Amino acid sequence: MIHVAVEQCQAGDILVVATTSPCQDGLFGELFATALQHRGVIGAVLSCGVRDVAELHAMRFPVWSQYVSAQGTVKQTLGSVNAPVTVGGVLINPGDVLVADDDGAVCVPRDQVEDTRTSSRAREKKEAQTRARLRTGEVGLDIYGMRTRLTELGLEYCSHPESVDP
């Protein structure tokens, strides 16, 4: 069914593949990525395995998958296309927005995109301010106001490890 999904993909899409039963086999590889790149697809998120990892890196086609396996699969199993799927315990509906980077992927439901965009920009601004303060030598304990609470919890500084009571 991935072949059917490839045919339906459009420029700017991210292909999402979920199998009907657990599968670690490498359903997705360089040949699918080649076809998808030609269609303008910008990546893939899989609940199954991926193969041809070196080739995928070389062609700069990003794929997020829990498994890597050289084991291929059959090509003539029926499934659904443009239907809700669950990947990594997260429900993904057609039209939802996927945001992914080297740290992983997250699904933003279609009706939450604008609120998420606003929150994300606010967080980026706050992190830029924090980064600037860290670059001046401030420490997270002061920036985040942690000192009082840690003292309340019993944090004590020791000048030498030997002075710690067991």
Side-chain angles (χ1 to χ4, degrees):
M1 289 305 290
I2 297 176
H3 291 278
V4 174
V6 168
E7 179 185 47
Q8 301 301 310
C9 284
Q10 299 176 18
D13 283 351
I14 294 177
L15 175 69
V16 179
V17 175
T19 55
T20 56
S21 61
C23 179
Q24 298 179 15
D25 295 345
L27 273 71
F28 187 93
E30 175 262 336
L31 294 177
F32 275 133
T34 299
L36 289 167
Q37 264 190 339
H38 176 75
R39 300 181 78 76
V41 174
I42 59 174
V45 175
L46 316 170
S47 71
C48 55
V50 65
R51 62 180 183 260
D52 306 329
V53 174
E55 290 87 348
L56 293 170
H57 280 288
M59 63 191 294
R60 301 181 62 84
F61 189 85
V63 177
W64 290 265
S65 174
Q66 187 173 356
Y67 310 104
V68 174
S69 174
Q71 176 65 47
T73 60
V74 297
K75 293 177 176 46
Q76 297 176 357
T77 302
L78 289 178
S80 299
V81 175
N82 275 335
V85 296
T86 301
V87 178
V90 176
L91 176 64
I92 302 172
N93 289 292
D96 286 347
V97 173
L98 296 176
V99 180
D101 64 14
D102 289 341
D103 295 325
V106 64
C107 175
V108 180
R110 186 178 2 187
D111 63 346
Q112 296 177 21
V113 169
E114 287 308 315
D115 289 343
T116 302
R117 184 182 322 216
T118 300
S119 297
S120 295
R121 287 182 176 149
R123 182 177 183 130
E124 286 176 344
K125 182 178 178 181
K126 182 179 177 186
E127 286 185 359
Q129 293 167 344
T130 300
R131 189 174 300 107
R133 291 175 71 182
L134 290 167
R135 286 183 177 140
T136 68
E138 280 188 79
V139 294
L141 289 170
D142 297 322
I143 293 171
Y144 302 122
M146 297 170 60
R147 288 190 189 279
T148 302
R149 181 64 182 137
L150 290 174
T151 299
E152 290 170 358
L153 291 171
L155 174 67
E156 294 181 28
Y157 285 92
C158 301
S159 58
H160 301 291
E162 307 84 54
S163 65
V164 175
D165 289 332

